[in-house]
Amino acid sequence: EMGLWDNYSNFWNNTFDEANEFTSQLKPASDVSVAAVMTSLYFNGIIFVVMLGSYEILRRFVPSVYASRKLKNYGPSSPTRQEPSGVAHLPLHNSYIPLDWVGPVFGVSWSTVRRAAGLDAYFFLRFIRMNVRITAVSTFWAAIILAPVYATGLNGVGGWYLISMTNVEIGGWRMWVPVVFIYFFSGFTFFCYEA
C-alpha cells in the first residue's frame, strides 16, 4: 500500500517523453457555430431585458434604495429645492414613461455625480466610462484593420476563425499587423489612463 510520501516521490521521479506527451494530446480547435453564437446573444438579450425591467419597476416602488440621496437632499415635499451641498439638476419626479432617466443622465456633470452619488460611485462610473471608450475605439479600428487582414490570410480556415489570427500564416507579413496594432492600442490605453 502506497503512502503519501510514495506518491510525492513518484510525482518527482516520473519520466516521460515530453515531445510525444504534449503533441499527442493536441487536437485542432473546433469552430463555434452561428447557432451557438445566436443562442448566446438571445440568452444575454433576455437577461438584459429582465434586469432593465426589474430596475424600472423597483426604482419606482423602492425609491429609498435607488434614489436615496435625491430623497435626502430634496425631501419628498419640495422636489426642486437645492441643498447647500450643491446637488442640483436632479429633480425628483414621478414619471411613468419607461427609460425616462436615460436622457437626463447624459447631461449631468461629473462634479454633480461626485456630490450626488459619492466618491466611490464617481470613480466607478469614471472607470466604466474609460473602459467603454477604450473598447469602442479599439473595436472600431480592429474591425477596419485587423478583420480584413485576418480574412485575407492564407491558412484556409473557415467559419468564425476566418476573421481571427488562426487564419494568418506563420512568418507572413500579416503577423506584423497585430503587433503594430497592439502598440497603438497600448498607447491609446495609456492616454485614456491619463485623461
Side-chain angles (χ1 to χ4, degrees), residues 77-96:
S77 60
S78 59
T80 58
R81 183 169 55 99
Q82 181 177 353
E83 287 294 315
S85 66
V87 178
H89 309 296
L90 296 173
L92 184 63
H93 60 283
N94 294 326
S95 172
Y96 294 103

Side-chain angles (χ1 to χ4, degrees), residues 46-111:
I46 290 169
I47 296 294
F48 171 74
V49 169
V50 167
M51 291 180 74
L52 188 62
S54 299
Y55 174 75
E56 282 293 319
I57 292 167
L58 289 174
R59 80 179 184 96
R60 296 176 199 292
F61 290 112
V62 193
S64 62
V65 172
Y66 293 98
S68 62
R69 289 196 184 228
K70 284 195 328 184
L71 290 172
K72 177 182 169 193
N73 289 333
Y74 290 109
S77 60
S78 59
T80 58
R81 183 169 55 99
Q82 181 177 353
E83 287 294 315
S85 66
V87 178
H89 309 296
L90 296 173
L92 184 63
H93 60 283
N94 294 326
S95 172
Y96 294 103
I97 301 170
L99 304 175
D100 62 337
W101 53 272
V102 174
V105 162
F106 290 106
V108 177
S109 69
W110 285 111
S111 59

Side-chain angles (χ1 to χ4, degrees), residues 69 113-125:
R69 289 196 184 228
V113 170
R114 189 175 59 244
R115 284 192 304 269
L119 200 55
D120 287 344
Y122 168 76
F123 276 108
F124 180 66
L125 292 173

Side-chain angles (χ1 to χ4, degrees), residues 93-158:
H93 60 283
N94 294 326
S95 172
Y96 294 103
I97 301 170
L99 304 175
D100 62 337
W101 53 272
V102 174
V105 162
F106 290 106
V108 177
S109 69
W110 285 111
S111 59
T112 304
V113 170
R114 189 175 59 244
R115 284 192 304 269
L119 200 55
D120 287 344
Y122 168 76
F123 276 108
F124 180 66
L125 292 173
R126 291 289 299 247
F127 180 73
I128 289 174
R129 186 190 88 162
M130 179 190 69
N131 287 324
V132 166
R133 187 178 183 190
I134 291 169
T135 305
V137 170
S138 62
T139 300
F140 173 77
W141 288 109
I144 293 198
I145 296 170
L146 292 181
V149 168
Y150 294 158
T152 57
L154 304 174
N155 261 0
V157 297

